[in-house]
């Protein structure tokens, strides 16, 4: 297979950061139990993760190719490897703020680099879209594996136990292996660079993207999608623990089931993107997810689950809730691929930066709103709120589909 080595590296790097980024839901649950942190206070961890992503993406996107795509990924992996080896000694909440700050900065480097690299290792729009779908699907496999991995280190009989922090020894080792694998892999970065421009020219090219209405509607779509997605991913473990009353380890495993549904949905998007127009895929997924919310959330009221409940004897809703992720999953890779395939390759880094910025802002706002509503009202009402951004998302996608990018805008 052409470009097999670098494609494998992209999958591995995405896998590592899938675990680290999406551990925030597990960490939010655990710091509440270990350090007595409130929901609203714990929710700021999402901001410590996403705001560095947004800020660094905005700063780095236009000239990252000049730093080097491979060099940027190596720096990111080195930073998170070092921090993971510190975390087993964490004794206060600020350790986790520092962890997610470093993870956020590093992911900004990784995601821009990965999204830019996709255009270098694919040749057609459909191949681009398909590879994006499979890559995002593998990202969710990482989320799934991360939730399972964390659950293995949880002590259900002692909520205040910090034994779970030993999982970071494993994550540090995986990050180090990914660093070494990338170090010995070659990547031709020539097409990602615009040889005719200097830094000022790169910044001007990046700013020019805002002149396209299609880009503006896309950024709104990305913001709204991640607002919804991150709310569900971050707060599912707490929802299972406090609303459904299942054991802590099972709550974290529910996050793994949600990730598995996301992975399946994104792998399927890689297949369906070759068969159908992206707007049909996105529209079907948004409407289907909205309907599933209206059907499934009422089932979470007044259910009786005891401490002995396992996946073998749990009520049906325990399985249905995370499976909804399968409908939400195809949206993100579909809209990302469409916009990236619409612009020249030398602008992919700048566009990737904007994707990361608006996604990060959406994730932070979504998690904080959900945490606040969860604490002040109920978990069900917090998730019902997602119907509002979902409605705006499908409207924005329709407008985005009608617009084209050309020199005359």
């Amino acid at each position: 297979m052409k470009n097999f080595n670098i494609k494998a590296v992209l999958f591995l790097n995405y896998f590592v950061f899938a675990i680290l980024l999406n551990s925030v839901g597990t960490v939010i649950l655990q710091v509440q139990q270990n350090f007595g942190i409130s929901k609203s206070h714990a929710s700021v961890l999402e901001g410590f993760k996403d705001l560095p992503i947004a800020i660094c993406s905005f700063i780095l996107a236009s000239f990252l190719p000049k730093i080097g795509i491979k060099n940027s990924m190596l720096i990111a992996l080195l930073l998170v490897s070092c921090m993971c080896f510190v975390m087993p000694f964490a004794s206060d909440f600020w350790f986790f703020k520092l962890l997610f700050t470093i993870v956020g900065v590093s992911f900004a480097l990784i995601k821009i680099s990965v999204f830019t690299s996709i255009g270098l290792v694919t040749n057609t729009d459909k191949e681009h879209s398909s590879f994006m779908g499979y890559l995002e699907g593998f990202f969710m496999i990482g989320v799934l594996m991360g939730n399972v991995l964390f659950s293995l280190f949880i002590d259900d009989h002692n909520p205040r136990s910090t034994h779970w922090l030993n999982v970071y020894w494993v994550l540090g080792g995986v990050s180090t292996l990914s660093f070494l694998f990338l170090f010995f892999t070659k990547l031709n970065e020539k097409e990602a660079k615009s040889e005719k421009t200097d830094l000022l020219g790169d910044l001007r090219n990046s700013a020019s993207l805002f002149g396209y209405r299609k880009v503006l509607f896309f950024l709104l779509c990305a913001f709204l999608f991640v607002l919804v997605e991150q709310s569900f991913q971050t707060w599912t473990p707490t929802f299972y623990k406090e609303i459904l009353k299942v054991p802590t380890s099972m709550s974290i495993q529910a996050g793994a089931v949600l990730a598995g549904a996301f992975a399946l949905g994104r792998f399927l998007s890689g297949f369906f993107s070759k068969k159908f127009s992206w707007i049909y895929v996105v529209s079907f997924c948004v409407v289907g997810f909205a309907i599933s919310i209206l059907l499934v959330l009422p089932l979470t009221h007044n259910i009786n689950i005891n401490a002995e409940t396992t996946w073998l004897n749990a009520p049906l809703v325990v399985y249905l809730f995370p499976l909804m992720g399968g409908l939400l999953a195809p949206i993100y890779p579909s809209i990302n691929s469409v916009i990236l395939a619409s612009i020249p390759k030398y602008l992919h880094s700048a566009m990737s930066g904007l994707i990361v910025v608006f996604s990060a802002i959406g994730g932070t706002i979504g998690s904080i709103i959900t945490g606040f509503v969860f604490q002040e009202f109920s978990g069900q009402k917090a998730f019902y709120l997602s119907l509002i951004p979902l409605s705006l998302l499908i409207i924005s996608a329709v407008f985005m589909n009608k617009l084209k990018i050309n020199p005359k805008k």
Side-chain angles (χ1 to χ4, degrees):
M1 182 189 297
K2 186 179 179 181
N3 296 315
F4 175 80
N5 286 348
I6 189 59
K7 287 181 179 180
V9 168
L10 298 182
F11 276 106
L12 181 58
N13 289 349
Y14 234 38
F15 178 83
V16 170
F17 278 88
I19 297 175
L20 290 167
L21 278 171
N22 290 278
S23 66
V24 67
T26 298
V27 173
I28 283 176
L29 175 59
Q30 288 302 103
V31 296
Q32 291 178 67
Q33 298 184 131
N34 288 168
F35 305 109
I37 305 297
S38 68
K39 290 183 182 65
S40 57
H41 190 192
S43 71
V44 303
L45 288 179
E46 194 77 55
F48 275 89
K49 170 174 68 73
D50 288 338
L51 292 181
I53 293 175
I55 294 169
C56 290
S57 297
F58 182 78
I59 294 172
L60 294 172
S62 61
F63 58 91
L64 182 140
K66 286 184 167 57
I67 299 173
I69 296 173
K70 178 177 175 179
N71 290 337
S72 298
M73 290 191 283
L74 288 172
I75 292 169
L77 290 167
L78 179 62
L79 288 173
V80 296
S81 296
C82 293
M83 191 62 207
C84 282
F85 290 130
V86 171
M87 286 309 296
F89 307 102
S91 58
D92 201 31
F93 189 46
W94 68 265
F95 276 91
F96 301 94
K97 294 178 180 178
L98 179 60
L99 168 69
F100 284 111
T101 299
I102 290 176
V103 168
V105 170
S106 301
F107 184 64
L109 293 168
I110 286 288
K111 190 164 186 176
I112 296 172
S113 299
V114 169
F115 275 24
T116 303
S117 300
I118 294 174
L120 303 179
V121 298
T122 57
N123 299 313
T124 66
D125 290 356
K126 287 191 173 182
E127 186 184 353
H128 190 290
S129 179
S130 180
F131 185 78
M132 178 75 79
Y134 290 130
L135 185 66
E136 291 287 352
F138 199 72
F139 183 87
M140 299 314 302
I141 292 293
V143 178
L144 185 159
M145 295 299 294
N147 279 281
V148 172
L149 180 63
F150 271 88
S151 72
L152 297 177
F153 286 81
I154 296 296
D155 186 349
D156 285 326
H157 303 291
N158 181 13
R160 295 188 65 85
S161 171
T162 57
H163 173 74
W164 65 279
L165 292 173
N166 288 312
V167 72
Y168 287 102
W169 291 116
V170 178
L171 296 178
V174 174
S175 300
T176 302
L177 286 175
S178 186
F179 175 91
L180 293 173
F181 191 13
L182 174 60
F183 185 81
F184 292 105
T185 301
K186 294 181 179 180
L187 173 63
N188 184 353
E189 306 179 20
K190 185 177 180 180
E191 286 188 89
K193 300 178 181 180
S194 177
E195 304 295 344
K196 299 178 181 179
T197 62
D198 53 13
L199 178 57
L200 184 60
D202 289 337
L203 292 172
R204 192 177 295 114
N205 284 336
S206 298
S208 70
L209 289 169
F210 289 103
Y212 298 102
R213 287 185 294 166
K214 182 167 185 157
V215 169
L216 297 179
F217 277 107
F218 160 74
L219 293 174
L220 180 58
C221 287
F223 169 84
L224 293 168
F225 170 79
V226 179
L227 187 149
V228 175
E229 178 197 44
Q230 207 61 48
S231 299
F232 274 82
Q233 287 190 346
T234 298
W235 289 98
T236 287
T238 300
F239 185 86
Y240 267 68
K241 177 66 177 177
E242 300 196 3
I243 303 300
L244 301 183
K245 307 296 184 183
V246 303
T248 300
S249 59
M250 191 172 168
S251 300
I252 295 171
Q253 288 163 5
V257 178
L258 178 64
F262 263 90
L264 178 60
R266 287 187 173 169
F267 281 130
L268 288 176
S269 78
F271 171 77
F272 286 116
S273 63
K274 294 181 178 180
K275 306 290 183 181
F276 304 99
S277 171
W278 72 274
I279 190 62
Y280 294 128
V281 174
V282 169
S283 298
F284 174 84
C285 290
V286 172
V287 173
F289 187 74
I291 292 173
S292 67
I293 289 174
L294 296 173
L295 294 177
V296 173
L297 281 181
L299 301 177
T300 65
H301 292 278
N302 303 318
I303 62 173
N304 297 313
I305 297 179
N306 57 50
E308 304 303 319
T309 298
T310 68
W311 288 106
L312 298 177
N313 58 13
L316 180 62
V317 68
V318 173
Y319 304 95
L320 291 179
F321 184 81
L323 292 179
M324 295 191 301
L327 287 168
L328 196 62
I331 299 172
Y332 196 58
S334 296
I335 61 175
N336 284 343
S337 180
V338 167
I339 200 66
L340 287 171
S342 301
I343 61 177
K345 291 183 179 180
Y346 71 86
L347 286 175
H348 282 199
S349 176
M351 189 70 249
S352 298
L354 293 179
I355 291 172
V356 178
V357 169
F358 281 80
S359 297
I361 295 172
T364 298
I365 293 175
S367 181
I368 290 175
I369 291 175
T370 302
F372 174 79
V373 176
F374 199 129
Q375 179 173 291
E376 300 298 325
F377 299 97
S378 71
Q380 288 91 345
K381 288 182 179 178
F383 289 135
Y384 275 127
L385 276 179
S386 64
L387 293 172
I388 297 174
L390 284 173
S391 300
L392 296 174
L393 171 58
I394 196 166
I395 294 171
S396 301
V398 170
F399 278 105
M400 176 183 162
N401 184 53
K402 292 181 178 181
L403 297 169
K404 295 185 181 298
I405 290 180
N406 56 58
K408 295 182 181 180
K409 303 180 182 63

